[in-house]
């Protein structure tokens, strides 16, 4: 049964009161008029009136709290190089950095560099991301066939508006494990046919996973007894005991990878596109090293994104469809929760659910060898205004997300296991609905707050799922 208890208490004023310090490091824009009226004009005219050149930067703090991660703080910033401004709102170069950590020992540390000028006619991307997580979500395999019993991780339950002790409670960390993740990648894009916006891509990188059961002693160190977790069995321990997680993959390891593919892209801009479409098809080959030598694999990915703007740029319709399939070899279970990306512009490659697709679903609720996903949303510009020299746009975007496993694990022999519902089909869509609020600065930097909830409580029994991120999902 769903609960209405609020477990996410975002400190929204930290965002609303922060003045979006979009500082100009070059000379003032020649066509800037601080007294120009912006009422009654289209967003295209606003964009032209706010044309930028040279270097600009923007940074924003994000502070939130929830019962699982505790108090979380993040600082994200972007440095843009618009050059002479001939391609604004597109940029010549971009440097993005983000750092965040929570009181429950989960964090993200990321740096991303994108340039179109370092090599003529080529686009280069470099990304390094480190995400430590002492309480990483693990809900089992095959989505709908993995039974999620939130009472196993909830000490109390609500009946007739009173809290009662839960006799089925095991631990608040029953659906948790340790996972530290490092990803380093470099990508290059070249032109196949410029008139068709057709490109080739190639890239290489390395992933390192350090996983295992929760380090209870280290996690509890310095915490008040009421905030400590019990050293009891977890679902991850059970999967190891049953052999669904093999000994070779139980601790993680190094995985170098190569990918190559093609894309078509006629969007009007890379960040916050208003019009156009993007599609890609690519292969990713990943090696297993040492004890993981039997876990080399080849996966194929496809994506299609389309943006249509109407009503004088006030309302936009956007949708995306995509999928990932294992076509050869075998990948470790922890790697099947990674969505391969041809371009590393957002950390969407890490994790399924929560603030990634499908938004609002329990993180890693869907775990299979192959899957498809889709999203449909409206983007409605509510109003726009200036803060100093910066043009800000506030918008809403209701959305529907979906994901379904296409290549499930074989769970034969687990029909009577209470942690599975093998009578259900793994080929059932997981659907979430929600609405986001966005603040866009200069058509280039987007701060996002999304609320979402799944249609089925097996995908998340909570209704209070609010996430703060940078940028649109796609």
């Amino acid at each position: 049964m769903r609960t209405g208890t609020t477990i996410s208490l975002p400190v929204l004023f930290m965002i609303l009161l922060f003045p979006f310090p979009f500082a100009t490091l070059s000379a003032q824009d020649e066509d800037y008029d601080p007294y120009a009226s912006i009422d009654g004009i289209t967003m295209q005219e606003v964009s032209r009136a706010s044309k930028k050149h040279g270097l600009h930067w923007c940074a924003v703090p994000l502070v939130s709290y929830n019962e699982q991660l505790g108090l979380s703080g993040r600082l994200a910033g972007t440095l843009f190089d618009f050059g002479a401004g001939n391609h604004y709102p597109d940029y010549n170069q971009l440097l993005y950095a983000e750092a965040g950590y929570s009181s429950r020992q989960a964090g993200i540390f990321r740096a991303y560099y994108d340039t179109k000028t370092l090599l003529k006619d080529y686009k280069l991307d470099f990304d390094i991301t480190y995400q430590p997580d002492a309480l990483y979500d693990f809900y089992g395999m095959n989505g709908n066939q993995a039974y999620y019993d939130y009472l196993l991780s909830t000490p109390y339950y609500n009946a007739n508006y009173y809290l009662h002790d839960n006799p089925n409670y095991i631990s608040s960390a029953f659906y948790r494990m340790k996972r530290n993740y490092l990803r380093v990648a470099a990508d290059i894009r070249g032109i196949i046919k410029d008139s068709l916006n057709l490109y080739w891509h190639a890239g290489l990188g390395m992933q390192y996973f350090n996983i295992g059961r929760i380090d209870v002693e280290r996690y509890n160190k310095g915490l008040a007894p009421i905030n400590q977790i019990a050293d009891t069995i977890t679902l991850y321990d059970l999967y190891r005991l049953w052999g669904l997680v093999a000994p070779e993959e139980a601790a993680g390891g190094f995985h170098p990878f190569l990918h190559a593919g093609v894309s078509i892209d006629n969007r009007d801009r890379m960040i916050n596109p208003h019009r156009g479409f993007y599609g890609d098809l690519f292969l990713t080959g990943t090696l297993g090293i040492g004890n993981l030598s039997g876990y080399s694999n080849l996966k194929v990915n496809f994506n299609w994104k389309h943006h249509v703007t109407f009503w004088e740029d006030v309302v936009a319709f956007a949708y995306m469809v995509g999928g990932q399939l294992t076509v050869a070899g075998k990948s470790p279970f922890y790697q099947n929760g990674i969505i391969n990306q041809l371009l590393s512009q957002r950390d969407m490659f890490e994790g399924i659910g929560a603030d990634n697709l499908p938004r609002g679903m329990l993180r890693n609720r869907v775990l299979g060898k192959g899957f498809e996903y889709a999203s449909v949303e409206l983007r409605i510009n509510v109003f726009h205004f200036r803060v100093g020299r910066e043009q800000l746009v506030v918008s809403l975007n209701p959305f529907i997300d979906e994901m379904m496993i296409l290549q499930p694990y074989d769970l034969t022999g687990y029909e009577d296991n209470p942690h599975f519902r093998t009578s259900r089909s793994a080929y059932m869509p997981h659907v979430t609905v929600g609405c986001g609020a966005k603040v866009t600065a200069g058509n280039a930097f987007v701060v996002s707050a999304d609320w979402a909830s799944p249609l089925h409580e097996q995908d998340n029994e909570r209704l209070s799922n609010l996430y703060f991120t940078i940028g649109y999902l796609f």
Side-chain angles (χ1 to χ4, degrees):
M1 124 176 221
R2 289 186 183 271
T3 65
T5 305
T6 300
I7 65 165
S8 294
L9 302 173
V11 188
L12 186 57
F13 70 88
M14 288 295 292
I15 294 176
L16 297 179
L17 297 183
F18 194 80
F20 285 90
F22 223 105
T24 303
L25 303 182
S26 63
Q28 284 197 354
D29 300 332
E30 296 176 0
D31 55 353
Y32 171 69
D33 180 1
Y35 303 104
S37 171
I38 61 174
D39 294 329
I41 63 176
T42 68
M43 295 308 298
Q44 282 184 316
E45 291 169 324
V46 168
S47 178
R48 287 194 295 268
S50 305
K51 183 177 177 181
K52 299 180 184 301
H53 59 77
L55 297 177
H56 294 254
W57 66 272
C58 184
V60 61
L62 303 174
V63 181
S64 62
Y65 175 85
N66 68 62
E67 291 180 359
Q68 295 175 350
L69 295 180
L71 184 64
S72 301
R74 293 165 60 192
L75 179 64
T78 305
L79 176 65
F80 296 92
D81 175 14
F82 293 109
N86 297 330
H87 304 290
Y88 181 81
D90 259 352
Y91 51 83
N92 291 347
Q93 300 183 91
L94 175 150
L95 178 62
Y96 174 81
E98 177 181 0
Y101 205 69
S102 82
S103 59
R104 304 287 176 85
Q105 303 173 30
I108 178 170
F109 303 91
R110 183 171 186 235
Y112 169 76
Y113 174 64
D114 175 10
T115 177
K116 303 172 186 176
T117 58
L118 193 62
L119 291 178
K120 186 178 180 181
D121 296 328
Y122 294 95
K123 181 178 182 294
L124 300 176
D125 298 280
F126 303 93
D127 178 83
I128 180 168
T129 300
Y130 177 60
Q131 292 179 290
D133 198 334
L135 294 177
Y136 190 67
D137 302 75
F138 179 73
Y139 295 97
M141 298 172 175
N142 288 2
N144 286 299
Q145 291 188 330
Y147 181 65
Y148 168 57
D149 185 356
Y150 74 92
L151 291 176
L152 298 180
S153 58
T154 305
Y156 308 101
Y157 68 93
N158 192 328
N160 299 322
Y161 304 101
Y162 291 96
L163 290 178
H164 301 268
D165 289 332
N166 175 17
N168 298 323
Y169 174 68
I170 296 178
S171 169
S172 60
F174 179 75
Y175 291 106
R176 301 289 183 268
M177 57 181 286
K178 179 193 74 174
R179 197 213 65 166
N180 300 323
Y181 174 58
L182 173 67
R183 180 183 187 271
V184 181
D187 305 287
I188 184 171
R189 186 190 76 177
I191 300 172
I192 297 177
K193 192 170 183 58
D194 196 22
S195 61
L196 296 178
N197 300 297
L198 190 62
Y199 307 94
W200 59 264
H201 296 257
L204 55 83
M206 180 275 296
Q207 293 177 324
Y208 172 67
F209 298 83
N210 176 16
I211 67 171
R213 75 185 317 269
I214 300 167
D215 188 341
V216 175
E217 182 178 354
R218 179 178 178 180
Y219 179 83
N220 287 338
K221 186 177 181 180
L223 294 179
I226 193 174
N227 295 323
Q228 294 182 353
I229 59 176
D231 190 2
T232 61
I233 197 166
T234 65
L235 186 65
Y236 173 71
D237 295 328
L238 293 175
Y239 267 64
R240 294 185 62 185
L241 182 64
W242 299 330
L244 290 172
V245 172
E248 299 82 23
E249 58 181 332
F254 284 96
H255 295 276
F257 65 87
L258 297 168
H259 65 229
V262 295
S263 73
I264 185 169
D265 186 0
N266 75 346
R267 294 172 297 176
D268 59 344
R269 64 194 68 180
M270 292 291 294
I271 297 177
N272 188 22
H274 289 183
R275 296 176 178 83
F277 56 80
Y278 170 89
D280 64 39
L281 177 67
F282 63 97
L283 294 170
T284 302
T286 304
L287 292 177
I289 297 178
N291 293 336
L292 294 165
S293 58
Y295 289 89
S296 298
N297 60 85
L298 181 67
K299 295 186 178 184
V300 61
N301 288 75
F302 65 93
N303 292 281
W304 178 261
K305 309 171 186 179
H306 192 192
H307 304 264
V308 180
T309 303
F310 46 96
W311 289 354
E312 293 187 329
D313 290 345
V314 174
V315 178
F317 172 75
Y319 70 90
M320 70 172 294
V321 294
Q324 177 170 293
L325 298 172
T326 302
V327 295
K330 181 180 180 181
S331 74
F333 81 95
Y334 51 81
Q335 205 174 54
N336 289 330
I338 301 293
I339 301 178
N340 293 328
Q341 298 286 295
L342 197 56
L343 299 172
S344 304
Q345 286 193 304
R346 176 181 165 147
D347 61 347
M348 182 185 167
F349 53 78
E350 195 289 308
I352 293 172
D355 60 346
N356 277 336
L357 198 70
R359 287 163 285 189
M361 187 178 70
L362 293 168
R363 185 174 57 160
N364 300 322
R365 173 70 178 126
V366 176
L367 183 62
K369 302 174 184 177
F371 45 83
E372 58 82 20
Y373 47 85
S375 180
V376 177
E377 65 181 47
L378 289 176
R379 299 175 181 179
I380 306 168
N381 292 325
V382 180
F383 59 91
H384 46 85
F385 59 95
R386 287 191 187 276
V387 175
R389 298 182 58 230
E390 193 54 54
Q391 175 67 43
L392 302 181
V393 180
V394 178
S395 57
L396 298 176
N397 68 300
F399 56 81
I400 301 175
D401 294 345
E402 177 272 339
M403 177 171 280
M404 183 173 69
I405 289 176
L406 299 179
Q407 293 176 307
Y409 288 89
D410 182 8
L411 297 180
T412 303
Y414 294 92
E415 291 81 3
D416 297 326
N417 191 309
H419 293 282
F420 296 96
R421 294 294 185 268
T422 55
S423 59
R424 297 176 179 173
S425 172
Y427 305 100
M428 290 180 61
H430 300 255
V431 181
T432 67
V433 297
C435 187
K438 306 289 191 289
V439 179
T440 303
N443 274 310
F445 189 85
V446 182
V447 178
S448 173
D450 291 329
W451 172 88
S453 181
L455 298 185
H456 198 290
E457 65 178 8
Q458 273 287 292
D459 289 335
N460 195 344
E461 83 284 3
R462 304 180 187 93
L463 295 174
S464 51
N465 309 303
L466 189 60
Y467 311 98
F468 289 100
T469 58
I470 301 298
Y472 281 93
L473 184 63
F474 63 95

